[in-house]
Amino acid sequence: MFRALKSGEAELVVKRSRFIAVARTVQTRDEAKELVAALKKEHREARHVCSAFIADEKGLDFGYDDDGEPSGTAGKPIYQALESFEVKKSAIAIVRYFGGIKLGAGGLTHAYRDAATAVVEKCGVVTLERQAAYEVDCDGETYKKIQPVLYNMSCKVDKILFSDRVRFTVIAQAGLDVAGAICPFGANVMHVGDRFAEV
């Protein structure tokens, strides 16, 4: 399990410069880059769209970008805000409209960190866990036998189709050996992918 940002935005004005901070949960670094590209397209008149992301569950796949601001004054403070809230699979992009007054390196660093903190505090965080999805096929008698097994494993059973066979989807916490638990009863199990869900 890990914490991730909820989506949303917050605005901060510092010496007439507008800082529009946008938070998103992301699955990959490419999604973080897409967020920045979309904001640049939406805010064509903005001077900068600076950003930071942590794209994996462990915090090893990360990056930040000053987008033309003095080195270390924008992307790194945004990244430090992500780290301080201990979030993963999250991105923050901050659109800056220059207000005509230079803030200096220290002022920029504080403004970007404050905007990043403001969006996290406004939108909040959510706890996510990796879940695995399986498709199961079995006969009716087997289905009756494996229902309590899946229940005891805290699995969610969904999309049940009854015909000459029973077909359904199982959602389980990643790492649980669903196949090992129900295949001995005669069920056919196929792992179809992983997802992240709120707990």
Side-chain angles (χ1 to χ4, degrees):
M1 285 193 281
F2 59 94
R3 294 161 32 111
L5 294 178
K6 289 184 177 180
S7 294
E9 65 180 64
E11 186 171 328
L12 181 69
V13 177
V14 178
K15 295 184 180 178
R16 297 194 315 220
S17 282
R18 287 177 58 210
F19 293 84
I20 303 166
V22 179
R24 294 282 185 275
T25 300
V26 295
Q27 301 301 319
T28 63
R29 68 176 35 231
D30 288 338
E31 283 186 26
K33 291 176 182 179
E34 289 167 10
L35 169 63
V36 171
L39 289 172
K40 283 184 175 188
K41 187 175 181 181
E42 180 181 344
H43 297 275
R44 293 181 197 278
E45 301 300 314
R47 185 75 61 94
H48 307 279
V49 180
C50 303
S51 61
F53 65 87
I54 300 173
D56 65 343
E57 298 167 59
K58 296 183 180 179
L60 302 175
D61 184 10
F62 65 90
Y64 47 86
D65 182 18
D66 294 316
D67 191 37
E69 293 282 28
S71 181
T73 62
K76 191 169 185 177
I78 300 168
Y79 173 73
Q80 289 169 336
L82 289 170
E83 277 192 311
S84 72
F85 286 97
E86 299 177 348
V87 294
K88 308 293 187 259
K89 293 193 128 344
S90 300
I92 296 175
I94 300 178
V95 178
R96 179 184 180 204
Y97 284 93
F98 182 60
I101 300 172
K102 292 190 176 194
L103 302 179
L108 283 172
T109 299
H110 287 292
Y112 278 105
R113 184 179 301 120
D114 291 348
T117 299
V119 75
V120 176
E121 289 175 347
K122 179 180 178 188
C123 301
V125 298
V126 63
T127 301
L128 299 176
E129 75 174 356
R130 182 184 292 270
Q131 296 180 335
Y134 302 89
E135 289 185 2
V136 181
D137 174 81
C138 62
D139 61 39
E141 287 302 312
T142 300
Y143 179 69
K144 290 177 189 175
K145 292 175 186 173
I146 64 176
Q147 271 185 305
V149 173
L150 294 172
Y151 177 80
N152 288 334
M153 293 175 70
S154 299
C155 297
K156 179 183 175 191
V157 177
D158 198 13
K159 300 179 185 172
I160 305 169
L161 298 172
F162 293 96
S163 60
D164 59 324
R165 307 270 302 160
V166 183
R167 291 177 180 82
F168 55 96
T169 302
V170 173
I171 305 296
Q173 184 179 359
L176 288 178
D177 188 7
V178 173
I182 65 175
C183 283
F185 292 96
N188 299 313
V189 180
M190 182 173 69
H191 179 252
V192 292
D194 289 349
R195 67 178 192 175
F196 295 94
E198 195 173 324
V199 292

